[in-house]
Amino acid sequence: MRTTWSDQQKELTREMIESVDIVAFSFSMTGKNKGCTLNHLDGRFGYITLEDALANVYSVYNYETDMLEASYTTLEALIEDGWKVST
C-alpha cells in the first residue's frame, strides 16, 4: 500500500480543486457524475461537490454511499490526509 502520493499528483490536486477545473468536476468514468472524484491512499474513492469547491469547502463524500467521509478546513489538510484527484 502506498504511504504518500507523488509531489506531481499533490500539485495536480491543488490546481484542479483550487481552480474548480471544469473537466475534473464534470467527467466521471462511471457515467454518474457526483463531482471531482478522489482517490485515497487506502484505496477508497470519494468526491467533492462542485458547490463545495466553489465555496472553498473541503468535504469528501464516499463515492458509493454518498455519506460524508471527512471534512477539512484547508485543501492542504485534505491532501495530507491521503486524498488526491483521480487521474
Side-chain angles (χ1 to χ4, degrees), residues 48-60:
I48 297 176
T49 66
L50 176 62
E51 295 80 8
D52 282 355
L54 289 170
N56 295 317
V57 172
Y58 306 106
S59 295
V60 178

Side-chain angles (χ1 to χ4, degrees), residues 13-46:
T13 297
R14 282 184 202 93
E15 289 174 11
M16 295 182 94
I17 293 175
E18 284 176 345
S19 69
V20 191
D21 184 278
I22 192 66
V23 174
F25 282 87
S26 61
F27 176 76
S28 173
M29 291 186 296
T30 66
K32 185 167 56 171
N33 182 17
K34 298 181 177 197
C36 182
T37 305
L38 304 172
N39 297 70
H40 193 273
L41 287 167
D42 65 10
R44 288 178 289 160
F45 287 91

